[in-house]
Amino acid sequence: MEKRESGNKESFYPKIIAFCCYYCAYSAADLAGSLRLQYPPTVRMIEQPCSGKVDIRLLLQAFEDGADGVYVAGCMEGDCHFLKGNIRAKKRVNAAKIILDKVGVGGERLEMFNLSGSMGPRFAEIANEMTERILKLGPNPLNTARAEQATRGEEGEPI
């Protein structure tokens, strides 16, 4: 895993959360592992019964809890096991991107991908793409603000 220097001259290993649909995206991740395809260890997968279970609050909470990037990986459009879960997820991701832009975190840190269970190589590509994107963007601005607050010794609740 490549590390990059961030603005504060410390090593930056991005923390990327992948919310994966059990039926397709998680199966694709499993296939990528079975094929021994390499993708960065910075991606942490959270299995979901359906990408439609991911709501805006969960996406925003991931950033608030320190994620530098987040992506939702669901079934191919029209192939959702729960009919329209992936369509709902796409709408929620787009709405969350707008919020992230407005609060200064950046909507480009969040993405939605559609995969089938047989797309193991594509899952590995997506993990690499997101890692490269986040390495270019740098740390989550919320993490940077928390670190600055801690070094100044400010008291109170974390932002």
Side-chain angles (χ1 to χ4, degrees):
M1 172 63 227
E2 183 179 338
K3 65 181 176 180
R4 299 267 169 99
E5 298 296 317
S6 63
N8 59 6
K9 301 293 183 204
E10 293 179 18
S11 296
F12 171 53
Y13 290 96
K15 181 179 176 183
I16 300 171
I17 306 298
F19 292 102
C20 297
C21 158
Y22 171 77
Y23 290 99
C24 290
Y26 200 80
S27 296
D30 189 44
L31 179 60
S34 296
L35 294 173
R36 300 202 186 281
L37 299 175
Q38 298 292 313
Y39 59 89
T42 57
V43 176
R44 294 154 188 174
M45 289 184 291
I46 298 176
E47 182 182 347
Q48 298 287 309
C50 175
S51 58
K53 283 295 282 179
V54 178
D55 70 358
I56 294 172
R57 290 177 300 160
L58 186 61
L59 297 171
L60 298 177
Q61 185 69 45
F63 287 103
E64 191 174 327
D65 289 344
D68 297 300
V70 175
Y71 65 94
V72 178
C75 300
M76 300 297 286
E77 287 193 23
D79 263 350
C80 179
H81 287 75
F82 293 95
L83 303 179
K84 295 185 180 181
N86 53 4
I87 304 296
R88 275 189 231 104
K90 185 176 183 178
K91 289 178 183 176
R92 291 172 182 162
V93 166
N94 289 334
K97 283 179 157 195
I98 292 167
I99 294 169
L100 290 170
D101 279 334
K102 286 182 179 179
V103 299
V105 172
E108 63 275 6
R109 294 179 178 278
L110 174 63
E111 198 61 65
M112 171 83 189
F113 296 98
N114 298 98
L115 299 167
S116 72
S118 63
M119 297 175 78
R122 179 65 183 135
F123 181 87
E125 282 176 27
I126 289 168
N128 286 313
E129 286 173 22
M130 281 299 291
T131 300
E132 279 302 311
R133 181 188 300 184
I134 301 305
L135 283 169
K136 287 177 185 165
L137 291 170
N140 176 344
L142 296 175
N143 294 340
T144 306
R146 277 191 202 104
E148 289 172 5
Q149 184 181 28
T151 57
R152 287 193 309 257
E154 292 180 18
E155 295 182 23
E157 291 294 316
I159 48 177

